[in-house]
Amino acid sequence: MTVVDSALRSPVNYSPSGKDVKALRFIEEMTRNVDFVQKKVIREILSRNSETEYLKRFGLKGFTDRKTFKSKVPVVTYDDLKPEIQRIANGDRSMILSSHPITEFLTSSGTSAGERKLMPTIDEDMDRRQLLYSLLMPVMNLYVPGLDKGKALYFLFVKAESKTPGGLPARPVLTSYYKSEQFKRRPYDPYNVYTSPNEAILCPDSSQSMYSQMLCGLLMRHEVLRLGAVFASGLLRAIGFLQTNWKELADDISTGTLSSRISDPAIKESMSKILTKPDQELADFITSVCCQDNWEGIITKIWPNTKYLDVIVTGAMAQYIPMLEYYSGGLPMACTMYASSESYFGINMKPICKPSEVSYTIMPNMAYFEFLPHEVEPEQSELVELADVEVGKEYELVITTYAGLNRYRVGDILQVTGFYNSAPQFKFVRRKNILLSIESDKTDEAELQKAVENASVLLGEKGTRVIEYTSYAETKTIPGHYVIYWELLVKDQTKPPSDEVMAQCCLEMEESLNSVYRQSRVADKSIGPLEIRVVKNGTFEELMDYAISRGASINQYKVPRCVSFTPITELLDSRVVSTHFSPALPHWSPERRR
């Protein structure tokens, strides 16, 4: 049964509007003949960019077929393109990568390591992004009825943009979108009404923005049907903000006046139309709920009509699922789309599914997609076409965009889970980057997260949760060892986890790591005991504030799962309240390879 058939026979008795039917039929059209669409996309890209300096360098001579393109143009990383990108950033307006003018650069989040990457974009890219956004609610409406009867409390933020030496804007993709005319002048859509006014979202001061957005959400608490942020960590940050500032928020509601902390004129004007009179009953309610020590289910207590949370909980964000479940009382978590600064990729055709089952259907009109079999280098294997990937296999994503990225390695590792019509569906597995390595051992993000999860089980028995973590490879000692920083939520402050329990957590993490690590610990003695350093509550908030002060976007910020930058490790170490080491060697034998 197609998605259009599903709409007409929806189990929630949903009768799609003409707009929704048009969007759903577009999805059908794009996914029924993926290879045909991909041939058209690469032909368009190569035809329009044939006179660019970059493509002329490889002697395509006007050919626009995939075979010629793949035989002549190499697979590249950001470092390979950096000289061309820097020339554009410095003001060179010649046709270097794209025949269309580069109008701005979209920046990567820049939180994992090193400097921000600058991704070239052209005017029409905004239309492609807007197109993908327009498909999300028609799909969601198949699963959740009545979303046109209320509002969305989404915590959305911009950051003050920078300029390249050549004068082009350089900003995160969501800042670009929120500042666009498409967003600011979007037509009224009953399925996309936000509690937050544009002025609150567009305020570059994240503290004033968060405060006013939270205040709006509280004032309209009965109208809120869904809560969201870009990443799960962002929504948890909003809950943390409420925990810290509920008294001041309640006071504003009680008096009908806006806090003096809000100085932004645009926010003050917009809030004057929302906070129009005192509401003592609401203020008393917020006080009675928020003054409790136990915040379990706080989301549904304050916003009782919430149907789901709209947040990304795949990849590294999966570690936040227990905390979101705790605060929401087990509400569904919807991961609706897959996108990056390089390009927007696809949508989740079953958005109300378990986080572990999230798969994204690639929309073949967004870019030209190739797939490099995981753990194989391009010179060792032909890249696979979108239509030819195989279920169960893992691939690294490679894209060619209208803006001039050619055969660019995005760095995402995806696993094929199935097909929607002829369009593959992918599970996001992890970023292609090794987090920790002392010697021959290599521990990636997914493996580290699994180790933390396994060790956390020991804490859960004592009513304690790991609410945030990061790591680094301590190589100043001989032998070097893994250091894991944990921030904990302790249910009973009078009974924190004992030293013995924490030591067992260290050992459990080691037991969960790969055989190369355990061999290095047991047989080679080249790695020392794993160490957990517990930091004060609020430390990771300070870490985020530090990153934002250095130019990171609050929307795109992700806690780095490995740190090496000295100021960050110094900040973490200055907040350590206890240290714990693995008390024994993990199990290893030549026969145990996993």
Side-chain angles (χ1 to χ4, degrees), residues 107-118:
T107 59
S108 65
S109 55
T111 56
S112 298
E115 63 191 43
R116 295 179 301 161
K117 297 176 181 177
L118 299 175

Side-chain angles (χ1 to χ4, degrees), residues 188-207:
Y188 173 78
D189 179 353
Y191 291 96
N192 274 308
V193 180
Y194 298 153
T195 55
S196 304
N198 285 354
E199 292 80 3
I201 295 171
L202 294 172
C203 177
D205 184 327
S206 60
S207 178

Side-chain angles (χ1 to χ4, degrees), residues 44-45 47-52 88 92-104 120-125 128 168 402-404:
E44 288 177 350
I45 292 174
S47 177
R48 67 157 61 177
N49 290 338
S50 61
E51 294 302 311
T52 60
I88 299 170
D92 191 332
R93 297 295 180 261
S94 60
M95 292 193 298
I96 299 173
L97 295 177
S98 171
S99 63
H100 287 214
I102 301 300
T103 54
E104 66 177 324
T121 187
I122 57 180
D123 271 339
E124 67 181 52
D125 284 338
R128 266 183 285 275
L168 290 175
Y402 287 88

Side-chain angles (χ1 to χ4, degrees), residues 100-368:
H100 287 214
I102 301 300
T103 54
E104 66 177 324
F105 286 102
L106 301 180
T107 59
S108 65
S109 55
T111 56
S112 298
E115 63 191 43
R116 295 179 301 161
K117 297 176 181 177
L118 299 175
M119 296 300 163
T121 187
I122 57 180
D123 271 339
E124 67 181 52
D125 284 338
M126 183 63 72
D127 296 328
R128 266 183 285 275
R129 293 193 286 271
Q130 183 64 40
L131 173 61
L132 202 67
Y133 282 127
S134 73
L135 305 178
L136 302 182
M137 288 311 297
V139 173
M140 183 63 76
N141 289 337
L142 300 178
Y143 297 91
V144 183
L147 292 175
D148 57 334
K149 308 302 182 186
K151 298 181 179 181
L153 171 52
Y154 285 173
F155 295 96
L156 308 175
F157 303 91
V158 300
K159 70 175 292 291
E161 64 190 64
S162 60
K163 295 278 189 180
T164 68
L168 290 175
R171 53 193 179 183
V173 61
L174 291 174
T175 295
S176 173
Y177 177 62
Y178 298 147
K179 288 188 173 183
S180 71
E181 293 303 307
Q182 286 94 328
F183 179 80
K184 291 190 290 186
R185 300 185 183 277
R186 61 195 183 279
Y188 173 78
D189 179 353
Y191 291 96
N192 274 308
V193 180
Y194 298 153
T195 55
S196 304
N198 285 354
E199 292 80 3
I201 295 171
L202 294 172
C203 177
D205 184 327
S206 60
S207 178
Q208 292 189 59
S209 177
M210 176 73 85
Y211 189 92
S212 52
Q213 291 191 60
M214 182 62 76
L215 182 57
C216 289
L218 294 174
L219 290 167
M220 305 177 205
R221 76 181 196 92
H222 287 296
E223 299 177 69
V224 171
L225 299 183
R226 60 193 194 272
L227 266 75
V230 179
F231 293 114
S233 55
L235 186 53
L236 289 175
R237 181 174 173 84
I239 298 299
F241 184 89
L242 180 60
Q243 285 182 304
T244 303
N245 296 280
W246 64 263
K247 290 182 180 179
E248 188 175 355
L249 289 158
D251 186 60
D252 284 8
I253 294 169
S254 174
T255 61
T257 58
L258 190 61
S259 169
S260 60
R261 75 158 64 192
I262 304 299
S263 59
D264 184 276
I267 290 184
K268 292 171 74 172
E269 181 179 353
S270 64
M271 290 302 298
S272 69
K273 303 171 185 176
I274 298 171
L275 184 63
T276 57
K277 60 183 179 180
D279 189 338
Q280 190 61 47
E281 183 180 353
L282 176 57
D284 290 343
F285 169 78
I286 291 169
T287 299
S288 67
V289 172
C290 294
C291 72
Q292 303 297 319
D293 291 334
N294 183 2
W295 273 47
E296 186 172 1
I298 192 70
I299 288 176
T300 48
K301 289 176 183 176
I302 296 178
W303 297 283
N305 299 315
T306 306
K307 296 175 182 285
Y308 65 91
L309 307 180
D310 192 342
V311 287
I312 294 173
V313 290
T314 53
M317 293 295 118
Q319 66 123 354
Y320 299 109
I321 292 171
M323 291 304 299
L324 287 175
E325 290 177 336
Y326 174 79
Y327 286 126
S328 73
L331 283 173
M333 301 172 203
C335 298
T336 57
M337 65 184 290
Y338 172 37
S340 75
S341 300
E342 293 89 342
S343 176
Y344 280 24
F345 304 126
I347 60 177
N348 184 359
M349 294 302 297
K350 294 182 178 180
I352 304 297
C353 64
K354 296 178 180 178
S356 60
E357 297 173 357
V358 170
S359 290
Y360 301 102
T361 300
I362 297 293
M363 296 301 292
N365 59 311
M366 300 306 293
Y368 174 58

Side-chain angles (χ1 to χ4, degrees), residues 58-83:
F58 300 107
L60 285 179
K61 298 179 180 178
F63 284 96
T64 60
D65 63 287
R66 292 183 292 189
K67 183 177 180 181
T68 303
F69 174 63
K70 295 170 76 168
S71 68
K72 291 183 175 292
V73 178
V75 176
V76 296
T77 64
Y78 183 79
D79 285 341
D80 297 319
L81 295 180
K82 193 173 179 180

